[in-house]
């Protein structure tokens, strides 16, 4: 097996922690000696032992003189757990191969440097792009202190998310909807606008048929605080909280009532149109350890985030349906651009099928 083969296995191990490690990254590690895998481990949950420590424990005495493949540079600082560099040095490993250097300013090359100073051979950059994609949310969060924003929409072949009457159930198929609930289980937060809340009275919980999922933190954009006190997002029981983001114009008595019912109300500065300022909101969500955020709003929310250049990734589910109608609701609302050349390009696309639907994943490329 090659370095790439061992690192691929480490990445597969890391992905087992998906949805459980936030605000930490997903990390996997493999210990190899004389061409044989003698230890494996991954970071299972925030606050628990890191991947390297688990892999070294699995290897036992065989770790001495071995090579350790790890998907992220070993940490060199004390946090909730001791530094992994210390464990690697004490285990007597000969070499450490990291996929990427840790973007965390507390580490940022210090881990590999400590290992090298201890006489351990170090290397980085093996399957670097794959490792960056695995932890794209963590990388954005740790370098900007803001969540990684994913915009998800389900639309017809003619780009509609609802008919002229507002009916939208169901555009995507059951397989796509299950995929989205799996996403909810893995991500920290889910955001909608008050328009979606008033129209659908959603729960925004995670519902998986084969297991109990983890509910994401629910965030509602509601600049005028119109959310009814008897709606699901206010009254339902969930281990995750509901946050309503509003402005200083909101009614103080309504704020008090919502807080009495367990809803957290964030007062965010308003933009030029009196709406919640989105960039200010993302900064506040970052302070709450919201590392990844799924936008599930309607056409106006999509337009607001996209044309504020705040979306990091898009997921478009395209159903093999045509509903037509000039008054049907398009996937992105607002004013749009004047010229096709000014449109947002989606790069690094991945296209797959889920049931009868087509899923397009990609990353917006903003102009100017």
């Amino acid at each position: 097996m090659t370095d790439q083969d061992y690192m691929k296995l480490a990445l597969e191990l890391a992905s087992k922690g998906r949805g459980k490690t936030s605000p930490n990254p997903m990390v996997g590690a493999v210990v190899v000696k004389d061409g044989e895998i003698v230890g494996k481990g991954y970071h299972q949950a925030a606050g628990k032992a890191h991947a390297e420590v688990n892999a070294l424990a699995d290897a036992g005495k065989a770790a001495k003189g071995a090579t350790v493949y790890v998907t992220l540079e070993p940490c060199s600082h004390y946090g909730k757990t001791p530094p992994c560099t210390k464990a690697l040095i004490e285990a007597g490993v000969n070499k450490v191969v990291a996929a990427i250097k840790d973007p965390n300013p507390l580490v940022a090359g210090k881990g590999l440097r400590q290992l090298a100073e201890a006489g351990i051979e170090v290397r980085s950059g093996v399957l670097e792009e794959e490792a960056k994609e695995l932890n794209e949310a963590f990388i954005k969060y740790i370098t900007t202190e803001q969540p990684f924003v994913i915009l998800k929409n389900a639309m017809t072949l003619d780009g509609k998310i609802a008919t002229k009457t507002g009916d939208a159930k169901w555009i995507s198929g059951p397989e796509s909807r299950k995929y989205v609930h799996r996403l909810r289980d893995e991500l920290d937060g889910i955001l909608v606008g008050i328009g979606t809340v008033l129209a659908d009275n959603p729960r925004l919980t995670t519902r998986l048929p084969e297991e109990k999922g983890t509910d994401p933190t629910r965030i509602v954009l509601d600049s005028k605080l119109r959310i009814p006190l008897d709606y699901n997002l206010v009254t339902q029981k969930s281990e995750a909280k509901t946050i309503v983001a509003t402005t200083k114009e909101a009614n103080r008595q309504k704020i008090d009532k919502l807080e009495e019912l367990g809803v957290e109300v964030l007062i965010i500065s308003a933009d030029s149109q009196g709406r919640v300022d989105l960039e200010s909101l993302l900064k506040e969500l970052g302070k709450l350890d919201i590392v990844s955020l799924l936008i599930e709003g309607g056409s106006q929310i999509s337009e607001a985030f996209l044309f504020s250049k705040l979306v990091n990734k898009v997921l478009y589910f395209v159903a093999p349906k045509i509903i037509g109608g000039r008054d049907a609701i398009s996937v992105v609302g607002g004013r749009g651009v004047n010229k096709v050349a000014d449109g947002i390009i989606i790069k690094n696309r991945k296209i797959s099928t889920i049931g009868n639907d087509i899923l397009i994943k990609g990353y917006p490329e903003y102009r100017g």
Side-chain angles (χ1 to χ4, degrees):
M1 293 177 68
T2 65
D3 284 353
Q4 287 76 13
D5 293 326
Y6 292 126
M7 191 62 75
K8 183 178 179 181
L9 176 57
L11 287 166
E12 290 172 355
L13 288 167
S15 68
K16 290 184 176 183
R18 194 181 298 277
K20 301 177 179 65
T21 64
S22 184
N24 294 345
M26 292 173 277
V27 184
V30 175
V31 184
V32 178
K33 188 172 184 179
D34 299 327
E36 297 291 331
I37 296 173
V38 295
K40 296 184 291 185
Y42 68 98
H43 184 39
Q44 298 177 12
K48 291 189 175 182
H50 288 188
E52 299 94 320
V53 173
N54 288 330
L56 290 172
D58 188 40
K61 294 181 180 179
K64 185 174 179 62
T67 296
V68 177
Y69 294 84
V70 61
T71 58
L72 185 70
E73 175 184 5
C75 63
S76 56
H77 63 288
Y78 281 87
K80 293 183 178 179
T81 59
C84 292
T85 50
K86 183 173 184 290
L88 290 163
I89 292 168
E90 290 178 349
V93 305
N94 274 359
K95 183 178 180 180
V96 172
V97 180
I100 56 174
K101 293 182 178 180
D102 194 334
N104 187 342
L106 291 173
V107 184
K110 295 176 185 176
L112 292 177
R113 188 161 59 248
Q114 276 189 11
L115 295 173
E117 289 171 352
I120 296 172
E121 183 182 350
V122 297
R123 180 188 173 195
S124 64
V126 177
L127 298 189
E128 182 175 5
E129 292 307 312
E130 291 87 341
K132 285 181 177 179
E133 182 177 356
L134 177 69
N135 276 309
E136 58 191 3
F138 170 77
I139 292 171
K140 197 250 175 129
Y141 169 76
I142 205 67
T143 55
T144 68
E145 299 182 340
Q146 294 185 26
F148 184 85
V149 178
I150 302 172
L151 174 65
K152 167 259 166 185
N153 279 123
M155 62 183 176
T156 60
L157 281 175
D158 51 341
K160 307 298 184 182
I161 61 171
T163 68
K164 62 184 178 181
T165 66
D167 180 58
K169 291 186 178 179
W170 293 101
I171 285 179
S172 59
E175 297 87 355
S176 294
R177 297 198 295 276
K178 181 179 178 182
Y179 182 101
V180 172
H181 279 278
R182 176 64 64 189
L183 269 180
R184 291 182 182 184
D185 180 55
E186 297 172 354
L187 302 179
D188 296 322
I190 180 171
L191 182 146
V192 296
I194 186 60
T196 296
V197 174
L198 294 175
D200 300 336
N201 190 17
R203 295 185 178 275
L204 303 183
T205 52
T206 298
R207 300 183 294 279
L208 296 169
E210 72 279 7
E211 61 184 272
K212 182 182 182 298
T214 302
D215 292 341
T217 297
R218 298 168 291 273
I219 301 107
V220 180
L221 294 181
D222 188 3
S223 59
K224 297 180 180 178
L225 215 56
R226 293 187 287 156
I227 186 170
L229 298 178
D230 60 349
Y231 266 38
N232 290 325
L233 292 179
V234 177
T235 62
Q236 69 188 358
K237 295 189 181 300
S238 170
E239 294 181 3
K241 61 185 174 182
T242 292
I243 296 174
V244 175
T246 189
T247 67
K248 63 181 181 180
E249 301 300 321
N251 182 280
R252 184 68 247 182
Q253 290 182 325
K254 184 76 173 284
I255 292 175
D256 291 341
K257 289 179 180 177
L258 284 168
E259 290 179 337
E260 287 174 8
L261 292 168
V263 174
E264 182 173 346
V265 179
L266 290 181
I267 307 297
I268 307 294
S269 58
D271 63 16
S272 60
Q273 296 177 283
R275 303 176 303 187
V276 171
D277 183 78
L278 300 182
E279 189 160 3
S280 298
L281 172 64
L282 292 183
K283 290 177 181 178
E284 290 302 313
L285 294 180
K287 293 176 184 177
L288 297 174
D289 284 344
I290 303 291
V291 174
S292 51
L293 180 65
L294 181 66
I295 308 294
E296 279 203 32
S299 64
Q300 300 303 315
I301 293 294
S302 294
E303 185 270 341
F305 273 92
L306 278 169
F307 287 93
S308 295
K309 303 179 181 180
L310 297 175
V311 175
N312 302 114
K313 187 175 186 177
V314 297
L315 300 178
Y316 282 133
F317 295 86
V318 184
K321 302 173 183 176
I322 297 174
I323 60 177
R326 62 185 177 186
D327 294 327
I329 302 173
S330 297
V331 65
V332 179
R335 297 176 61 184
V337 299
N338 293 323
K339 297 180 179 179
V340 172
D342 296 329
I344 298 169
I345 302 295
I346 304 301
K347 61 180 183 178
N348 298 333
R349 297 170 302 278
K350 292 183 179 179
I351 302 174
S352 58
T353 56
I354 298 183
N356 291 325
D357 302 329
I358 298 170
L359 172 59
I360 303 172
K361 297 181 183 180
Y363 300 84
E365 180 177 71
Y366 300 108
R367 312 270 178 130

